[in-house]
Amino acid sequence: MTTSLVPPAGLTVRPATLGDAAAVCALLNEVDLLETGRADTELSRIQADLRHPEVDLERDSWLLFDGDRLVGYALLWDDSGGERIDVDHYVLPGRPGGALHLFDLMEHRAAERAAANGAARAVVHLHLNTAPTMDLPALRARGWRTVRRYHVMERHLDPAADPLLAPPAGVTLRTCLAEEDRRRAHALLQECFTDHFDHQPRSYAQWLGDIDGEHADWSLIWLAHVEGFGDAAVLRTHNDRPSTGWVGNLGVRAELRGRGLGGHLLRHAFGHYAALGRDRIGLGVDTDNSSGALALYERHGMTLDYAVDTWELIRPV
C-alpha cells in the first residue's frame, strides 16, 4: 500500500482550530443523518474533543475541503502513552480518494506518536457505524479489521410509566456537586471498568479532560452508597444530545453485581430524564461485555438502535 501525504486533486486539507467546532459539528450531523437517520452530535462534544489535552490540533487534526465545502474531518489522540492510538474519521459520500487520504495522514501520525512513546508498533482503533459512509472494502484492503461490536440501545420514556423510584433499603444516591464526590466517581469508574475491553487507565485530571469536566453538569452524575459497604456504584449521564438523554457510564463494583443495584440506577436515569421532559434515552454497550450489561439493559426495555464496530490497524513504527 502506498501512503501519500498529498491530497487528491481538487481537495485540500488543513488542521482544525477551536473556531471550526460548529462547522465540524454540522458535518458530523450530516453523517449522522446518513448513517442513523437522526442528527445527534452535540456541539459541546466537538468543543471538548478539540480542547482535549492529549490532542495537538496542528498535527493531530485534519479538515478535508472540496473547494470551500467541508467534507471530511479526522482526529487522533493518545490515551495510552504506549502503542494504543485512537482516531475518529468522518467523510461525506462521493469522495473516496479524500477519505483514504485522511487515513494516510492518520496512520502516518499514529506511527509517529507510538514511536515517540517508545513503542515498536502502533495499535490504532477507530469506531464506525456498521453501515458507514466509509468504503469498508477499501478499509480492509489497508489492513484494518473489526475486533469488537457495540450496540447503541434506546428506550422510550414516559413520565407516567417511568417515575422516580425510591432506592432499595440501605441504598442512598447523591450527586457529584462536591469535588470529593467527583473524585470518588472517577475512582469507582476506574475500578468498575478495569477489565473491560479497550479500557485505558486515566488519572483524575485526564478523566476531567475526557468528559469535558469544566462544563459537565455534575447534578447528572450519581454515586450509590450501600449501607455496610460504602460507595458501590456510579451513574454518569448527560443531557446535551439533540434527540435523547444519554447514559455515559453505569458501573457497579464486582462484589455487588447481580443484586439489582445496576437496574435501580438505570431506572433512576429513566425517571430523571422523563421528568426533564425527554422522551428517549440511550447508551452504548459492548456486546461481549462479561458483566451482563447487555442483558440488564434488555430486561429494562432497552432495544437496539444501531451498532458500531471497533476497527483495528496494527502498524510497525
Side-chain angles (χ1 to χ4, degrees):
M1 181 186 67
T2 301
T3 297
S4 173
L5 304 184
V6 178
L11 302 177
T12 58
V13 176
R14 69 165 173 83
T17 69
L18 294 178
D20 292 313
V24 171
C25 185
L27 171 68
L28 266 59
N29 276 317
E30 285 189 69
V31 175
D32 285 348
L33 283 169
L34 292 169
E35 293 182 346
T36 70
R38 186 173 60 252
D40 223 11
T41 298
E42 65 274 20
L43 178 60
S44 60
R45 174 203 149 188
I46 303 303
Q47 291 169 330
D49 287 348
L50 296 179
R51 288 194 299 261
H52 198 288
E54 288 155 6
V55 171
D56 175 355
L57 284 179
E58 185 64 29
R59 304 180 69 189
D60 297 331
S61 69
W62 301 270
L63 300 182
L64 178 71
F65 291 88
D66 186 345
D68 293 331
R69 170 87 158 108
L70 178 63
V71 296
Y73 163 71
L75 188 74
L76 178 149
W77 65 100
D78 166 20
D79 283 347
S80 73
E83 66 181 19
R84 272 279 291 102
I85 307 294
D86 289 284
V87 296
D88 276 341
H89 179 279
Y90 302 88
V91 176
L92 293 176
R95 297 163 181 87
L100 294 177
H101 177 61
L102 289 183
F103 275 101
D104 284 340
L105 297 173
M106 292 192 305
E107 293 167 14
H108 178 79
R109 177 61 176 153
E112 284 187 342
R113 292 205 62 166
N117 291 338
R121 63 180 189 170
V123 180
V124 193
H125 280 193
L126 165 71
H127 298 293
L128 285 180
N129 189 289
T130 52
T133 58
M134 180 61 201
D135 180 357
L136 295 185
L139 194 57
R140 292 189 184 95
R142 300 181 70 89
W144 289 80
R145 64 188 183 97
T146 57
V147 294
R148 207 74 166 193
R149 175 157 293 186
Y150 292 82
H151 281 179
V152 175
M153 314 286 286
E154 67 171 351
R155 186 183 182 281
H156 177 73
L157 298 177
D158 184 324
D162 297 304
L164 277 171
L165 302 175
V171 176
T172 56
L173 301 186
R174 67 184 190 276
T175 60
C176 289
L177 297 176
E179 172 73 11
E180 61 183 323
D181 287 331
R182 299 175 191 182
R183 290 183 176 274
R184 186 63 185 138
H186 161 258
L188 274 173
L189 286 171
Q190 294 298 300
E191 177 182 346
C192 293
F193 288 91
T194 294
D195 296 329
H196 284 217
F197 174 76
D198 233 3
H199 173 74
Q200 300 293 327
R202 308 294 283 157
S203 70
Y204 180 62
Q206 289 172 322
W207 179 65
L208 290 179
D210 294 341
I211 67 168
D212 197 20
E214 181 181 350
H215 301 92
D217 185 346
W218 295 98
S219 71
L220 298 177
I221 303 176
W222 292 270
L223 290 166
H225 184 277
V226 177
E227 186 177 344
F229 188 86
D231 292 333
V234 58
L235 171 68
R236 185 179 74 85
T237 74
H238 52 97
N239 195 28
D240 49 10
R241 292 201 172 200
S243 72
T244 183
W246 189 257
V247 176
N249 302 104
L250 198 171
V252 179
R253 294 180 69 174
E255 303 95 309
L256 288 182
R257 290 173 188 162
R259 302 188 187 185
L261 189 55
H264 174 70
L265 286 174
L266 190 62
R267 286 285 174 176
H268 181 78
F270 295 169
H272 190 87
Y273 278 86
L276 290 176
R278 286 289 199 173
D279 61 3
R280 291 177 67 252
I281 193 165
L283 54 78
V285 59
D286 178 359
T287 57
D288 290 330
N289 186 322
S290 61
S291 69
L294 178 59
L296 168 70
Y297 302 144
E298 290 175 337
R299 283 199 304 272
H300 289 276
M302 303 199 78
T303 58
L304 176 65
D305 185 8
Y306 58 90
V308 174
D309 284 329
T310 299
W311 289 76
E312 180 179 88
L313 174 73
I314 297 177
R315 172 170 170 161
V317 303

